[in-house]
Amino acid sequence: AERVELPRALQGICNLLRNRLQSIRDDARAVLVSVAAELGPQYMPYICNVLRSSLPDKGFTAHVMGFTLHAVLDAVVKSCRAANDTSSTQKNKQQQQKQDATAMPVDRQQQQQQQEGEEEPDWGAEGAPGAASAAGILDESVELALPVIEAEIFGEVAEAKEV
């Protein structure tokens, strides 16, 4: 049922971003960010399409689109990292329970780390803890988000900004 109503709801939220009142845009952006974080990265391509169709890349809406896209991407990445951190913490607890149950001897350094409460982070491929499982989550969105980002940084949108 929610998949039927999702396009209309997202379109309504994105249409509010065209409003000239800053407070309305801020509220709409906050709602869109929370919806995107809840839906997850698999819906990012669709959210990008709705944003690009709702906000023309002329005038103030071009700035609004860039700022909103950044906020949405940031929220989705943070929610994915939080989910990965939670799952890795649960996995560490399960491993510890298995280790305690088997009562296998542990070398001295591991015992010392356990006593001090230190855990070795999973550094993954990108050099950040939990990054290995989060790698590639936004690959499908890159083609849609990149033109907006380029215009925001290098294009007419960047030239129109007052520094």
Side-chain angles (χ1 to χ4, degrees):
E2 64 264 0
R3 288 188 182 196
V4 174
E5 296 298 323
L6 183 62
R8 189 182 320 165
L10 286 176
Q11 189 67 49
I13 295 168
C14 290
N15 286 341
L16 288 172
L17 291 169
R18 288 188 284 185
N19 199 305
R20 290 221 174 248
L21 288 175
Q22 181 72 39
S23 61
I24 292 176
R25 289 196 312 262
D26 289 343
D27 291 344
R29 186 176 303 108
V31 170
L32 184 63
V33 163
S34 63
V35 167
E38 188 69 32
L39 290 174
Q42 63 271 18
Y43 282 91
M44 273 307 298
Y46 183 71
I47 293 171
C48 287
N49 279 329
V50 172
L51 268 173
R52 289 181 69 188
S53 67
S54 298
L55 299 171
D57 48 356
K58 295 179 183 177
F60 80 98
T61 57
H63 302 283
V64 171
M65 182 168 36
F67 187 75
T68 302
L69 182 62
H70 175 266
V72 169
L73 285 170
D74 190 43
V76 169
V77 168
K78 283 180 182 176
S79 70
C80 288
R81 283 188 179 157
N84 287 339
D85 289 346
T86 302
S87 65
S88 67
T89 301
Q90 290 173 349
K91 192 184 298 184
N92 288 341
K93 285 181 182 179
Q94 289 173 350
Q95 288 175 349
Q96 182 66 33
Q97 288 172 352
K98 285 180 185 177
Q99 197 175 41
D100 291 344
T102 58
M104 294 179 66
V106 181
D107 74 330
R108 225 175 151 160
Q109 185 179 10
Q110 287 178 340
Q111 284 179 345
Q112 188 178 14
Q113 286 178 349
Q114 289 173 354
Q115 288 172 356
E116 293 172 3
E118 295 178 14
E119 290 185 23
E120 294 238 358
D122 174 25
W123 286 96
E126 295 182 11
S133 55
I137 59 173
L138 295 173
D139 285 352
E140 296 176 17
S141 306
V142 170
E143 278 186 46
L144 299 168
L146 197 57
V148 175
I149 296 168
E150 286 177 344
E152 184 75 21
I153 297 173
F154 303 114
E156 294 176 11
V157 178
E159 291 175 7
K161 286 184 179 180
E162 295 177 9
V163 179

